[in-house]
Amino acid sequence: MAVERTLSIIKPDATERNITGKVIAKLEEAGLRVVAQKRVRWSREQAEKFYEVHKERPFYGELVDFMTSGPVVVQVLEGEDAIAKNREVMGATNPEEAAAGTIRKELAENIERNSVHGSDSAENAAIEIALNFSDDEIVG
Ligand code: ADP
Ligand code: MG
């Protein structure tokens, strides 16, 4: 294992329900450390670019609508094996299939409004972090 960084997003369904603290507590309890964080409202262009890999999927337009429907909290998480660890504590994409104790099982509303994003590989983590943060915003 190595110390890694990953991009985490608390999605608009969670900011709307005022539960960002609950999400962050779960991440911190899993041993992840927030080393950069900001609450922002994404433009359509930002959301489209971030989810470009899903452009051909049927839910792309609705996903962009959702991700621009309210503020998001973007954060860089750091820790041992952070990419896989974050995915583990998030749980499966569909909260109905997520394991007990995961963020999505406990807090998410449905497969779209599923409260959190997490990078799925080291390559995508680097891309997604660079899209959201400058080096001097990652403060440890
Ligand atoms: P994950 O966020 O678990 O990596 P994906 O990368 O497959 O999942 O999908 C990105 C996001 O798109 C999901 O987190 C969810 O918000 C939305 N999404 C995925 N599948 C669907 C679906 N079948 N219907 C509606 N929205 C979806
Ligand atoms: Mg994904």
Side-chain angles (χ1 to χ4, degrees):
M1 288 205 302
V3 173
E4 294 174 338
R5 286 179 174 173
T6 189
L7 188 83
S8 164
I9 304 174
I10 305 178
K11 294 183 177 182
D13 67 281
T15 59
E16 186 187 332
R17 287 178 289 144
N18 206 27
I19 55 170
T20 61
K22 286 187 181 171
V23 173
I24 295 163
K26 285 276 202 192
L27 298 169
E28 291 179 339
E29 281 160 15
L32 294 161
R33 177 172 289 270
V34 177
V35 295
Q37 189 180 59
K38 55 190 174 187
R39 188 175 181 108
V40 294
R41 182 84 186 244
W42 271 359
S43 67
R44 248 196 122 71
E45 292 66 35
Q46 280 173 295
E48 284 170 352
K49 188 164 177 54
F50 187 84
Y51 280 116
E52 208 162 20
V53 292
H54 295 311
K55 206 165 45 192
E56 307 306 326
R57 315 239 331 239
F59 56 81
Y60 177 70
E62 284 179 9
L63 178 59
V64 171
D65 290 345
F66 166 52
M67 292 300 290
T68 55
S69 68
V72 294
V73 176
V74 289
Q75 46 196 10
V76 178
L77 306 178
E78 189 178 84
E80 287 283 332
D81 224 4
I83 296 162
K85 192 176 280 180
N86 181 41
R87 298 284 307 189
E88 194 182 322
V89 69
M90 285 165 58
T93 308
N94 184 348
E96 288 176 16
E97 291 163 14
T102 61
I103 292 169
R104 282 166 166 171
K105 183 67 176 185
E106 293 199 355
L107 302 174
E109 295 187 336
N110 57 48
I111 194 169
E112 178 183 76
R113 298 171 64 85
N114 61 4
S115 304
V116 278
H117 166 86
S119 308
D120 62 7
S121 67
E123 188 192 354
N124 285 336
I127 292 169
E128 291 175 0
I129 289 169
L131 267 176
N132 286 280
F133 290 95
S134 58
D135 283 348
D136 65 1
E137 289 178 311
I138 302 173
V139 291

